[in-house]
Amino acid sequence: MEYILIFISAIFVNNIILSQFLGICPFLGVSQKVSTSLGMSAAVAFVMTLATIVTYLIQHFVLNPLGLQYLQTIAFILVIAALVQMVEIILKKVSPPLYQALGIFLPLITTNCAVLGVAILVIQKDFSLLQSIVYAFSTAIGFGLALVVFAGIREQMALTKIPKGMQGTAIVLVTAGLLSLAFMGFSGVDSGLRQLFGLAG
């Protein structure tokens, strides 16, 4: 049940973009088309889950035993950058079609603070490895959901007449704010489920 709560909470209640405001750059920059958003979402899901596993192991088997916790952020950034490069090289050789689909978005993930944010959050929340994997994958789904919904809205807005003063960045930011408010409606769902099933937290 705990894993289901982590899953629901990461997607809806504590959405990485709309509640925690991480990963705003791709959210605003790669959301012109639904197809592009789906590609970015798939790349983020893959890298975020893999990066969380590797950074978790580094934290618990390298940084903590050696008393180097203060190097966490730098170590995690280097690990994520190296992972993205490694994944890009492997995909290019092993699966060219998949590389063509994700290759455009992979370099962008290096600068996506959502990936680093999740890697640090699982350590702060003191999750186990399995909980960390579930949280990372769920967060990636939440990221993808927000991105695809926002892209769909932007595609629809392109077909409507918008007042001159609201065109461009203004209407995009207002729409993002309204979408964030919509997701705030899910707040309290996880605590309600915890009470329902008698779980602590």
Side-chain angles (χ1 to χ4, degrees), residues 1 3 7 9 22 34 37 45 47 49 54 73 88 93 125 137 154 156 176 191 195 197:
M1 198 64 216
Y3 296 105
F7 185 79
S9 176
L22 293 171
V34 172
S37 299
V47 173
T49 307
V54 175
T73 305
E88 196 171 356
K93 290 183 178 179
K125 290 174 183 285
F137 185 69
R154 287 185 73 175
Q156 188 64 35
S191 57
Q195 288 177 2
F197 292 100

Coordinates of all heavy atoms in Angstrom, one line a residue, residues 1 3 7 9 22 34 37 45 47 49 54 73 88 93 125 137 154 156 176 191 195 197:
M1 N 0.8 -1.2 0.0 CA 0.0 0.0 0.0 C 0.9 1.3 0.0 O 0.5 2.3 -0.6 CB -0.9 0.0 1.2 CG -2.1 0.9 1.1 SD -3.2 0.4 -0.2 CE -3.7 2.0 -0.8
Y3 N 3.6 1.8 -1.5 CA 4.1 2.1 -2.8 C 3.0 2.7 -3.7 O 3.3 3.6 -4.5 CB 4.6 0.8 -3.5 CG 5.8 0.2 -2.7 CD1 5.7 -0.9 -1.9 CD2 7.1 0.8 -2.8 CE1 6.8 -1.4 -1.3 CE2 8.2 0.3 -2.2 CZ 8.0 -0.8 -1.4 OH 9.1 -1.3 -0.7
F7 N 3.2 6.4 -5.4 CA 2.9 6.5 -6.8 C 1.8 7.6 -7.0 O 2.1 8.5 -7.8 CB 2.3 5.2 -7.3 CG 2.0 5.1 -8.7 CD1 3.0 4.9 -9.7 CD2 0.7 5.2 -9.2 CE1 2.8 4.9 -11.0 CE2 0.4 5.2 -10.6 CZ 1.5 5.0 -11.5
S9 N 0.9 10.0 -4.9 CA 1.4 11.3 -4.4 C 2.4 12.0 -5.4 O 2.3 13.2 -5.6 CB 2.1 11.1 -3.0 OG 2.7 12.3 -2.6
L22 N 10.0 22.2 -10.2 CA 11.3 21.7 -10.7 C 11.0 21.3 -12.2 O 10.0 20.7 -12.5 CB 11.8 20.5 -9.9 CG 12.3 20.8 -8.5 CD1 12.6 19.6 -7.7 CD2 13.5 21.8 -8.4
V34 N 2.3 18.0 -28.7 CA 2.2 16.8 -27.8 C 3.2 15.7 -28.2 O 3.7 15.1 -27.3 CB 0.7 16.3 -28.0 CG1 0.6 14.9 -27.3 CG2 -0.3 17.2 -27.5
S37 N 6.4 16.5 -26.6 CA 6.3 16.3 -25.1 C 6.4 14.8 -24.7 O 7.0 14.5 -23.7 CB 5.0 16.9 -24.6 OG 4.9 18.3 -24.9
A45 N 11.7 9.9 -18.1 CA 11.4 8.7 -17.3 C 12.6 7.7 -17.2 O 12.9 7.2 -16.1 CB 10.2 8.0 -17.9
V47 N 15.9 8.3 -17.9 CA 17.1 8.8 -17.2 C 16.9 9.1 -15.7 O 17.7 8.8 -14.9 CB 17.5 10.1 -17.9 CG1 18.7 10.8 -17.1 CG2 18.0 9.8 -19.3
T49 N 14.8 7.5 -13.6 CA 14.8 6.3 -12.9 C 16.2 5.7 -12.7 O 16.6 5.3 -11.6 CB 13.9 5.2 -13.5 OG1 12.6 5.8 -13.8 CG2 13.7 4.0 -12.7
V54 N 21.4 4.9 -9.4 CA 22.9 5.1 -9.4 C 23.3 6.1 -8.2 O 24.2 5.8 -7.4 CB 23.5 5.6 -10.7 CG1 25.0 5.9 -10.6 CG2 23.2 4.5 -11.8
T73 N 25.7 17.1 -3.9 CA 25.2 17.8 -5.1 C 26.2 17.7 -6.3 O 25.7 17.4 -7.4 CB 24.9 19.3 -4.8 OG1 24.1 19.4 -3.6 CG2 24.3 20.0 -5.9
E88 N 23.3 8.0 -24.2 CA 23.3 8.5 -25.6 C 24.2 7.6 -26.5 O 23.8 7.3 -27.6 CB 23.7 10.0 -25.6 CG 23.4 10.7 -26.9 CD 23.6 12.2 -26.8 OE1 24.0 12.7 -25.7 OE2 23.5 12.8 -27.8
K93 N 24.5 3.1 -30.7 CA 25.1 1.9 -31.2 C 24.1 0.7 -31.2 O 24.0 0.0 -32.1 CB 26.3 1.5 -30.4 CG 27.5 2.4 -30.6 CD 28.7 2.0 -29.9 CE 29.9 2.9 -30.2 NZ 31.1 2.5 -29.4
K125 N 14.1 12.0 2.0 CA 13.0 11.3 2.5 C 13.3 10.0 3.2 O 12.5 9.3 3.7 CB 12.0 11.1 1.4 CG 11.3 12.3 0.8 CD 10.4 12.0 -0.4 CE 9.8 13.3 -1.0 NZ 8.7 13.8 -0.2
F137 N 10.2 6.8 -10.8 CA 9.3 6.5 -11.9 C 8.0 7.2 -11.9 O 7.5 7.7 -12.9 CB 9.1 4.9 -12.0 CG 8.4 4.5 -13.2 CD1 9.0 4.6 -14.5 CD2 7.1 4.0 -13.2 CE1 8.3 4.2 -15.7 CE2 6.4 3.6 -14.3 CZ 7.0 3.7 -15.5
R154 N -1.7 24.1 -25.2 CA -1.0 25.1 -26.0 C -1.4 24.9 -27.5 O -1.5 25.8 -28.3 CB 0.5 25.0 -25.8 CG 0.9 25.6 -24.5 CD 2.4 25.6 -24.3 NE 3.0 26.6 -25.2 CZ 4.3 26.9 -25.1 NH1 5.1 26.3 -24.3 NH2 4.8 27.8 -25.9
Q156 N -4.2 23.7 -28.6 CA -5.6 24.2 -28.7 C -5.6 25.8 -28.7 O -6.3 26.4 -29.5 CB -6.4 23.7 -27.5 CG -7.9 24.0 -27.6 CD -8.6 23.3 -28.8 OE1 -8.2 22.2 -29.1 NE2 -9.5 24.0 -29.4
A176 N -0.1 28.0 -17.3 CA 0.7 27.2 -16.4 C 0.2 27.4 -15.0 O 0.1 26.4 -14.2 CB 2.2 27.5 -16.6
S191 N -2.9 12.0 2.3 CA -3.1 11.9 3.7 C -4.5 11.2 4.0 O -4.6 10.5 5.0 CB -3.1 13.3 4.4 OG -4.0 14.2 3.8
Q195 N -5.0 7.7 6.1 CA -5.9 7.5 7.2 C -6.9 6.4 6.9 O -7.2 5.6 7.8 CB -6.7 8.8 7.4 CG -5.9 10.0 8.1 CD -6.7 11.3 8.2 OE1 -7.9 11.3 7.8 NE2 -6.1 12.3 8.7
F197 N -6.3 3.7 5.2 CA -5.7 2.4 5.3 C -4.8 2.3 6.6 O -4.1 1.3 6.8 CB -4.8 2.1 4.1 CG -5.6 1.9 2.8 CD1 -5.7 3.0 1.9 CD2 -6.2 0.7 2.6 CE1 -6.5 2.8 0.8 CE2 -7.0 0.6 1.4 CZ -7.1 1.6 0.5

